[in-house]
């Protein structure tokens, strides 16, 4: 049952996300869109309550309950960033807004980006751990909670591996190629475009003086 609920919550997440963004940018109903997006945390609440009820009814704590905790943890740690990123894409493609900013590829900007991602993973691991510890206390039987302890260790194993990746970028950030910035943009083209815009802004002033 728990696995089925996880699948339903995952599908529901994307359905509500698509409906919310569609309402905001296609139907021009931002309040409805925001209401739909705010319904997404309810999916995690439903999954959490269902997991607790399943344990309360005598179900043996197993990998499905641990997976539910990790899924909720991921949503807490990375869900907001995912929604924000997709909202920018929708605003650009459907609402005529500016293109979403690219993730940096080089230098200290890339290091900071990886650190923010790792922070989300740590928040997710801490959330999953809190839920797993609550489930372990709720079960109250050391002979039935081995899988929950295994998932708790797995949550921090994932955070540790991701931390090594972030540390790699801290110690050895990718060197920014000559003529480009940390986002991979061509500095020469950017400078030329800026010079053209500046020249265009000054042109009316010079024309006015001649008159």
């Amino acid at each position: 049952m728990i696995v089925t609920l996880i699948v339903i919550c995952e599908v529901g997440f994307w359905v509500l996300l698509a409906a919310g963004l569609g309402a905001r940018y296609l139907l021009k109903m931002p309040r409805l869109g925001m209401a739909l997006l705010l319904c997404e945390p309810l999916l995690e609440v439903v999954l959490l309550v269902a997991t607790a009820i399943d344990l309360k009814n005598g179900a043996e704590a197993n990998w499905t309950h641990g997976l539910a905790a990790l899924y909720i943890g991921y949503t807490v740690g990375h869900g907001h960033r995912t929604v924000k990123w997709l909202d920018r894409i929708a605003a650009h493609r459907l609402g005529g807004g500016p293109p979403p900013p690219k993730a940096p590829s080089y230098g200290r900007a890339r290091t900071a980006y990886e650190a923010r991602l790792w922070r989300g993973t740590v928040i997710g691991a801490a959330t999953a751990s809190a839920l797993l510890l609550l489930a372990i206390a709720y079960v109250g039987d050391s002979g039935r909670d081995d899988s929950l302890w295994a998932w708790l260790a797995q949550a921090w194993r994932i955070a540790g591996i991701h931390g090594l990746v972030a540390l790699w970028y801290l110690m050895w950030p990718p060197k920014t190629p000559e003529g480009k910035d940390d986002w991979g943009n061509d500095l020469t083209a950017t400078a030329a475009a800026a010079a053209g815009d500046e020249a265009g802004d000054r042109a009316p002033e010079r024309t006015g003086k001649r008159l």
Side-chain angles (χ1 to χ4, degrees), residues 106-117:
Y106 309 103
R108 292 300 175 183
R110 179 69 186 201
T111 300
Y113 174 77
E114 293 294 335
R116 288 193 297 271
L117 288 182

Side-chain angles (χ1 to χ4, degrees), residues 181-200:
D181 62 13
D182 288 346
W183 282 260
N185 298 316
D186 191 335
L187 292 177
T188 304
T190 303
D197 292 340
E198 184 178 355

Side-chain angles (χ1 to χ4, degrees), residues 9-68:
C9 287
E10 178 67 15
V11 173
F13 174 86
W14 293 105
V15 169
L16 284 174
L17 181 60
L21 295 178
R24 291 185 68 177
Y25 298 110
L26 290 179
L27 302 179
K28 307 300 182 183
M29 302 174 67
R31 291 185 178 180
L32 175 61
M34 181 60 66
L36 290 171
L37 293 176
L38 290 176
C39 287
E40 290 185 344
L42 295 177
L43 297 175
E44 276 63 54
V45 174
V46 170
L47 181 58
L48 180 60
V49 171
T51 302
I53 292 175
D54 195 39
L55 291 173
K56 181 67 174 179
N57 290 337
E60 183 175 353
N62 55 36
W63 67 272
T64 61
H65 302 97
L67 181 61

Side-chain angles (χ1 to χ4, degrees), residues 32-205:
L32 175 61
M34 181 60 66
L36 290 171
L37 293 176
L38 290 176
C39 287
E40 290 185 344
L42 295 177
L43 297 175
E44 276 63 54
V45 174
V46 170
L47 181 58
L48 180 60
V49 171
T51 302
I53 292 175
D54 195 39
L55 291 173
K56 181 67 174 179
N57 290 337
E60 183 175 353
N62 55 36
W63 67 272
T64 61
H65 302 97
L67 181 61
L70 258 66
Y71 174 80
I72 295 173
Y74 175 84
T75 303
V76 172
H78 292 286
H80 176 71
R81 179 181 57 83
T82 302
V83 171
K84 187 176 181 180
W85 174 65
L86 291 173
D87 181 65
R88 288 176 173 175
I89 292 177
H92 170 57
R93 296 187 177 181
L94 303 178
K102 299 187 298 182
S105 301
Y106 309 103
R108 292 300 175 183
R110 179 69 186 201
T111 300
Y113 174 77
E114 293 294 335
R116 288 193 297 271
L117 288 182
W118 180 59
R119 181 180 62 188
T121 300
V122 171
I123 291 173
T127 302
S129 297
L131 294 175
L132 288 167
L133 289 173
L134 286 173
I136 290 170
Y138 187 70
V139 172
D141 185 350
S142 59
R144 299 172 54 210
D145 57 12
D146 290 346
S147 63
L148 298 180
W149 284 110
W151 276 107
L152 194 151
Q154 181 69 11
W156 289 106
R157 187 178 297 113
I158 293 172
I161 293 173
H162 196 174
L164 291 176
V165 174
L167 181 62
W168 176 273
Y169 279 99
L170 175 64
M171 301 299 295
W172 298 282
K175 185 177 180 180
T176 305
E178 186 176 354
K180 293 184 179 294
D181 62 13
D182 288 346
W183 282 260
N185 298 316
D186 191 335
L187 292 177
T188 304
T190 303
D197 292 340
E198 184 178 355
D201 292 338
R202 292 178 178 176
E205 297 179 4

